[in-house]
Amino acid sequence: MTQKLLHSFIVEEHIKNSLKEDIGFGDITTDFLYTENDEITAQLNTREDTVVCGLDVFKQVFATLSDKVRVNTYYKDGDIVAKNTTLAEVKGPARYILTGERTALNYMQRMCGIATQTKKFQDAIAPYEAKVTDTRKNTPGFRMFEKYAVMIGGARLHRFNLSDCVMIKDNHIKHAGSVTKAVNLIKANLSHAHKIEIECDTFEQVKEAVASGCDVIMLDNMPVDEMKKCVSFIAKRAIVEASGNVKINTINEIASTGVDVISTSAIVAQAPVIDLGLDIQ
């Protein structure tokens, strides 16, 4: 299921553009030091513990450059590996391997970092049924890779773009005049196939959201006690999402309120870049 998020033709086009950006008019270092006949073998090694993510993208970088480069992988996305683990071996013409090295590593290091960060957040609420989800605070142009990494890390995905789901926020409510008016305006035009989510700052807004018949209620930046009160009132009449200032040291307490979903930008925006290396043998 997760593999389908990275459609091959979109990935290939993204990689081509990334390589164009990096190569420019040619790798004037590698091209002057190696001939077309020089071949090398290199290993993709971890330099810290990580959740593996992005191996197919890593392979596709070299496949885009040359069908003469062979990549053998020893693990799969989602595997948890320790520092100094060899994830893959790359063999073939030195010119293509060295030219593609940085681009291939850039994809994987970022994706591994997000998957690793995501797993930490999801593991932190293991005793509870709540699921961690991402937000739309993504890197422009890199969203599908980041969302794929979130899934590999064990979390769920929020809407992919603005057309996936209605999300009525405070500015929308101000413009419409109230939660009820905003929902009614939306329902008058919305397809039956889309859900409606409402961002609520207060218990009064939550009561109005429930009465409106919305599908998802987001408790935005609420104190824990207020969240518990809202969860109890909603009583499964809508999916309950908690959001706002979610951190690794606060997420467990948030999950204890009984919310269904906890959305946080931290699993992407604050994810580290995992240190990986392509070491020539």
Side-chain angles (χ1 to χ4, degrees), residues 168-175 177-180 182-183 197-214 216-222 226 229-230 233-234:
I168 301 172
K169 298 191 175 187
D170 52 357
N171 287 331
H172 301 125
I173 295 169
K174 287 177 184 177
H175 175 74
S178 70
V179 167
T180 302
V183 173
E197 177 168 1
I198 302 176
E199 181 183 281
C200 296
D201 302 322
T202 66
F203 181 64
E204 290 305 313
Q205 285 186 333
V206 168
K207 289 194 293 184
E208 195 176 354
V210 170
S212 75
C214 69
V216 187
I217 297 174
M218 178 197 288
L219 310 180
D220 186 45
N221 281 294
M222 282 190 183
E226 187 82 352
K229 178 182 177 182
C230 291
F233 175 79
I234 295 167

Side-chain angles (χ1 to χ4, degrees), residues 37-54:
N37 297 322
D38 290 329
E39 295 207 352
I40 59 174
T41 298
Q43 291 182 334
L44 174 63
N45 296 318
T46 61
R47 292 172 181 163
E48 56 185 303
D49 299 349
T50 186
V51 174
V52 179
C53 187

Side-chain angles (χ1 to χ4, degrees), residues 153-276:
R156 300 281 177 83
L157 297 183
H158 213 293
R159 56 181 180 165
F160 198 92
N161 55 44
L162 292 168
S163 63
D164 277 348
C165 167
V166 170
M167 183 178 288
I168 301 172
K169 298 191 175 187
D170 52 357
N171 287 331
H172 301 125
I173 295 169
K174 287 177 184 177
H175 175 74
S178 70
V179 167
T180 302
K181 289 179 180 178
V183 173
N184 288 340
L185 285 168
I186 292 291
K187 284 185 175 181
N189 297 283
L190 186 67
S191 162
H192 69 282
H194 288 86
K195 289 185 176 181
I196 298 176
E197 177 168 1
I198 302 176
E199 181 183 281
C200 296
D201 302 322
T202 66
F203 181 64
E204 290 305 313
Q205 285 186 333
V206 168
K207 289 194 293 184
E208 195 176 354
V210 170
S212 75
C214 69
D215 303 289
V216 187
I217 297 174
M218 178 197 288
L219 310 180
D220 186 45
N221 281 294
M222 282 190 183
V224 170
D225 289 344
E226 187 82 352
M227 275 194 271
K228 288 180 180 178
K229 178 182 177 182
C230 291
V231 170
S232 178
F233 175 79
I234 295 167
K236 302 295 183 183
R237 287 177 286 178
I239 296 169
V240 185
E241 176 183 339
S243 189
N245 201 31
V246 178
K247 299 179 180 178
I248 193 67
N249 61 336
T250 63
I251 193 168
N252 188 275
E253 188 178 17
I254 293 170
S256 72
T257 64
V259 295
D260 303 299
V261 178
I262 303 173
S263 57
T264 173
S265 63
I267 56 177
V268 173
Q270 297 176 25
V273 174
I274 297 296
D275 192 2
L276 304 175

Side-chain angles (χ1 to χ4, degrees), residues 43-200:
Q43 291 182 334
L44 174 63
N45 296 318
T46 61
R47 292 172 181 163
E48 56 185 303
D49 299 349
T50 186
V51 174
V52 179
C53 187
L55 281 171
D56 284 345
V57 180
F58 178 86
K59 290 169 68 174
Q60 186 60 45
V61 171
F62 297 108
T64 300
L65 287 167
S66 172
D67 59 7
K68 295 179 181 178
V69 178
R70 301 172 301 281
V71 180
N72 296 315
T73 57
Y74 305 130
Y75 292 87
K76 63 182 184 301
D77 286 357
D79 287 344
I80 302 168
V81 301
K83 177 181 179 181
N84 298 323
T85 298
T86 299
L87 301 179
E89 185 176 74
V90 185
K91 290 183 178 182
R95 279 186 172 182
Y96 299 118
I97 293 175
L98 294 176
T99 297
E101 172 188 6
R102 184 71 267 154
T103 298
L105 287 175
N106 283 347
Y107 278 106
M108 259 205 93
Q109 289 179 312
R110 179 69 177 140
M111 294 171 76
C112 285
I114 293 169
T116 302
Q117 177 90 331
T118 299
K119 187 178 187 305
K120 289 179 181 178
F121 273 71
Q122 188 62 58
D123 286 350
I125 59 172
Y128 303 103
E129 294 182 4
K131 295 295 294 186
V132 176
T133 187
D134 63 341
T135 69
R136 279 175 41 256
K137 292 180 181 178
N138 296 104
T139 306
F142 206 72
R143 182 173 300 185
M144 65 176 172
F145 300 99
E146 292 175 342
K147 283 187 171 288
Y148 172 80
V150 166
M151 292 180 71
I152 291 297
R156 300 281 177 83
L157 297 183
H158 213 293
R159 56 181 180 165
F160 198 92
N161 55 44
L162 292 168
S163 63
D164 277 348
C165 167
V166 170
M167 183 178 288
I168 301 172
K169 298 191 175 187
D170 52 357
N171 287 331
H172 301 125
I173 295 169
K174 287 177 184 177
H175 175 74
S178 70
V179 167
T180 302
K181 289 179 180 178
V183 173
N184 288 340
L185 285 168
I186 292 291
K187 284 185 175 181
N189 297 283
L190 186 67
S191 162
H192 69 282
H194 288 86
K195 289 185 176 181
I196 298 176
E197 177 168 1
I198 302 176
E199 181 183 281
C200 296

